[in-house]
Amino acid sequence: MLPARKRTLLPAITLLAATILSVTPPASATTNYQDLNHDNASILITPSQLMNGSPYLLTVTLPNRALSVTGNWQSHPISFFSNSDRRTWFAARRRRRRTKPRQLPLIIEAALKDGTHQTLHQQLTIETAPYLQVPLTVPDKFVEPDPKALKQIAADKIVKDKTFASSASKPQWTGNFLPPLRLAPESDSFGNQRLFNGKIASVHRGLDYHAKLHTPVAAINSGRVVLARPLYFEGGCVVIDHGLGLMSVYMHLSKIEVTAGRRVRRGQIIALSGASGRATGPHLHLGVRWQGSYLDPAKLFEIQMPPRPK
């Protein structure tokens, strides 16, 4: 039985429909310019309604081949990659979990092969969505660690920082991302606020699945294993790098079936579920980390991913 939950409100995001296109001249005064209109280029953002911390896919379609496509949102740069024709460009981004309701501009600029620059603007509107409060009970050593445990926690942090410090420069995934367990129901959602033993409050940065001990756990997509070892809070832990700063994290495992450095395919069994680390019982915790922050895995499974560039 799940613990009692208290409903709270935090922001989510939806998209305004209007797209405005403009042409900006390149730096060289001798370069020819090309006028473009609403029918020549487009921005598609999926899904159309996003929760805070959720991923979204940007698809930019251009009438002509581009040398590069860049973007900016909330003063953060956006990196795009293209398919083989260099007319369709993709980028994956996430919403911050806590943002006050307001409109935010998205700006995308394409440098075309003929020397012109095309700028696309789209307004985004943040709205509100519910999250829950979940009280949990765990052994006291996970709430008030002793000196020996604190030393291990510090060492684990160094290992994790090194693991997350770099990622493949190109997408390693193959097709859409799939859940790690086929039949296990979800038990605790991303973004819920959790209170351990009535003392330590934290935000749940992943998705939990009810799973009996030793249930096979599959990789949610192809990539390279960058960590496979036990950690203090996470228990048995596997991290897979899917490229471009996108990583999946599997926690509380009873047995790890892969080693760091090994390449795995989507759906491959990488571990068995367990109750190791700071866990209230047997289950699988799945985290998805995107360019330094965690996002909602359930939303990632809803996105139709672009083909991996050749």
Side-chain angles (χ1 to χ4, degrees):
M1 180 178 295
L2 296 178
R5 299 182 174 185
K6 179 180 178 182
R7 187 170 297 273
T8 58
L9 291 179
L10 289 174
I13 180 170
T14 56
L15 306 177
L16 293 180
T19 298
I20 306 171
L21 304 181
S22 64
V23 176
T24 58
S28 173
T30 61
T31 305
N32 293 327
Y33 307 136
Q34 178 182 359
D35 291 332
L36 298 170
N37 56 46
H38 290 71
D39 296 327
N40 292 116
S42 66
I43 305 173
L44 175 65
I45 306 180
T46 54
S48 60
Q49 185 173 9
L50 306 178
M51 304 289 287
N52 276 351
S54 298
Y56 61 93
L57 179 68
L58 296 171
T59 303
V60 176
T61 303
L62 303 170
N64 300 301
R65 294 166 62 90
L67 297 174
S68 64
V69 175
T70 58
N72 188 285
W73 191 45
Q74 293 185 277
S75 301
H76 294 289
I78 302 175
S79 299
F80 285 81
F81 63 93
S82 69
N83 63 6
S84 58
D85 67 5
R86 302 190 71 83
R87 290 184 174 88
T88 306
W89 293 73
F90 307 95
R93 297 295 294 174
R94 66 166 185 93
R95 274 293 314 134
R96 290 178 178 176
R97 183 178 176 275
R98 293 180 179 271
T99 305
K100 295 180 180 180
R102 57 185 172 137
Q103 289 191 353
L104 296 169
L106 168 67
I107 302 173
I108 298 174
E109 182 172 304
L112 305 181
K113 294 194 69 175
D114 63 2
T116 61
H117 285 208
Q118 179 186 4
T119 303
L120 300 90
H121 303 266
Q122 185 140 335
Q123 285 293 118
L124 311 181
T125 300
I126 302 173
E127 297 180 354
T128 58
Y131 287 101
L132 307 175
Q133 288 186 341
V134 182
L136 298 173
T137 301
V138 297
D140 288 339
K141 67 178 183 178
F142 293 115
V143 178
E144 298 178 348
D146 60 24
K148 181 179 179 180
L150 289 173
K151 185 176 181 180
Q152 181 180 345
I153 292 169
D156 287 350
K157 183 180 185 303
I158 294 174
V159 171
K160 289 184 286 187
D161 288 347
K162 183 178 180 180
T163 298
F164 297 135
S166 61
S167 177
S169 60
K170 296 182 180 180
Q172 305 297 301
W173 65 74
T174 305
N176 296 335
F177 285 76
L178 303 176
L181 301 174
R182 292 185 178 181
L183 301 177
E186 299 169 8
S187 61
D188 196 5
S189 299
F190 178 91
N192 289 345
Q193 189 175 42
R194 306 195 298 178
L195 189 65
F196 291 99
N197 297 3
K199 298 179 181 180
I200 298 179
S202 68
V203 174
H204 192 224
R205 298 187 298 178
L207 186 63
D208 284 350
Y209 292 87
H210 282 302
K212 296 180 180 180
L213 283 173
H214 313 309
T215 300
V217 176
I220 64 174
N221 214 317
S222 303
R224 184 174 66 90
V225 177
V226 291
L227 186 145
R229 56 171 288 179
L231 301 170
Y232 186 80
F233 287 118
E234 295 83 355
C237 183
V238 171
V239 179
I240 300 175
D241 175 26
H242 304 289
L244 298 179
L246 183 59
M247 299 184 180
S248 55
V249 185
Y250 311 78
M251 300 182 187
H252 311 305
L253 306 170
S254 62
K255 184 179 180 181
I256 297 173
E257 303 280 10
V258 293
T259 56
R262 179 177 174 181
R263 294 194 174 275
V264 295
R265 65 185 183 280
R266 182 180 62 173
Q268 179 178 336
I269 301 304
I270 59 171
L272 303 180
S273 64
S276 56
R278 188 171 67 180
T280 58
H283 74 286
L284 171 69
H285 172 98
L286 172 68
V288 174
R289 189 176 172 92
W290 175 251
Q291 296 184 349
S293 299
Y294 286 91
L295 52 81
D296 187 351
K299 300 300 181 183
L300 180 64
F301 299 146
E302 298 175 4
I303 294 179
Q304 295 293 314
M305 297 300 292
R308 184 169 61 184
K310 299 179 180 180

PDB file of all heavy atoms in Angstrom, residues 12 89 217 257 268:
ATOM      1  N   ALA A  12       3.964  23.778 -14.592  1.00  0.00           N
ATOM      2  CA  ALA A  12       4.195  22.944 -15.764  1.00  0.00           C
ATOM      3  C   ALA A  12       4.257  23.871 -16.958  1.00  0.00           C
ATOM      4  O   ALA A  12       4.215  25.086 -16.812  1.00  0.00           O
ATOM      5  CB  ALA A  12       3.097  21.911 -15.925  1.00  0.00           C
ATOM      6  N   TRP A  89      16.519  19.352 -38.332  1.00  0.00           N
ATOM      7  CA  TRP A  89      17.445  19.400 -37.201  1.00  0.00           C
ATOM      8  C   TRP A  89      16.692  19.116 -35.908  1.00  0.00           C
ATOM      9  O   TRP A  89      15.511  19.489 -35.775  1.00  0.00           O
ATOM     10  CB  TRP A  89      18.118  20.769 -37.128  1.00  0.00           C
ATOM     11  CG  TRP A  89      19.039  21.032 -38.291  1.00  0.00           C
ATOM     12  CD1 TRP A  89      18.675  21.300 -39.583  1.00  0.00           C
ATOM     13  CD2 TRP A  89      20.469  21.030 -38.263  1.00  0.00           C
ATOM     14  NE1 TRP A  89      19.794  21.473 -40.360  1.00  0.00           N
ATOM     15  CE2 TRP A  89      20.915  21.324 -39.579  1.00  0.00           C
ATOM     16  CE3 TRP A  89      21.422  20.848 -37.263  1.00  0.00           C
ATOM     17  CZ2 TRP A  89      22.264  21.415 -39.904  1.00  0.00           C
ATOM     18  CZ3 TRP A  89      22.768  20.939 -37.582  1.00  0.00           C
ATOM     19  CH2 TRP A  89      23.174  21.216 -38.890  1.00  0.00           C
ATOM     20  N   VAL A 217      16.001  -6.299 -15.325  1.00  0.00           N
ATOM     21  CA  VAL A 217      15.905  -4.876 -15.649  1.00  0.00           C
ATOM     22  C   VAL A 217      16.579  -4.647 -16.998  1.00  0.00           C
ATOM     23  O   VAL A 217      17.729  -5.051 -17.201  1.00  0.00           O
ATOM     24  CB  VAL A 217      16.584  -4.011 -14.573  1.00  0.00           C
ATOM     25  CG1 VAL A 217      16.565  -2.540 -14.968  1.00  0.00           C
ATOM     26  CG2 VAL A 217      15.904  -4.216 -13.221  1.00  0.00           C
ATOM     27  N   GLU A 257      24.576  -7.024 -14.116  1.00  0.00           N
ATOM     28  CA  GLU A 257      24.959  -7.971 -15.165  1.00  0.00           C
ATOM     29  C   GLU A 257      25.908  -7.386 -16.202  1.00  0.00           C
ATOM     30  O   GLU A 257      26.256  -8.054 -17.175  1.00  0.00           O
ATOM     31  CB  GLU A 257      23.698  -8.481 -15.876  1.00  0.00           C
ATOM     32  CG  GLU A 257      22.663  -9.130 -14.964  1.00  0.00           C
ATOM     33  CD  GLU A 257      23.013 -10.570 -14.622  1.00  0.00           C
ATOM     34  OE1 GLU A 257      24.144 -11.003 -14.940  1.00  0.00           O
ATOM     35  OE2 GLU A 257      22.173 -11.255 -14.030  1.00  0.00           O
ATOM     36  N   GLN A 268      18.254  -4.757 -23.642  1.00  0.00           N
ATOM     37  CA  GLN A 268      19.180  -5.755 -23.101  1.00  0.00           C
ATOM     38  C   GLN A 268      19.089  -5.782 -21.578  1.00  0.00           C
ATOM     39  O   GLN A 268      19.002  -4.736 -20.924  1.00  0.00           O
ATOM     40  CB  GLN A 268      20.611  -5.426 -23.536  1.00  0.00           C
ATOM     41  CG  GLN A 268      21.656  -6.389 -23.008  1.00  0.00           C
ATOM     42  CD  GLN A 268      23.045  -6.051 -23.505  1.00  0.00           C
ATOM     43  OE1 GLN A 268      23.201  -5.412 -24.552  1.00  0.00           O
ATOM     44  NE2 GLN A 268      24.064  -6.448 -22.755  1.00  0.00           N
TER      45      GLN A 268
END
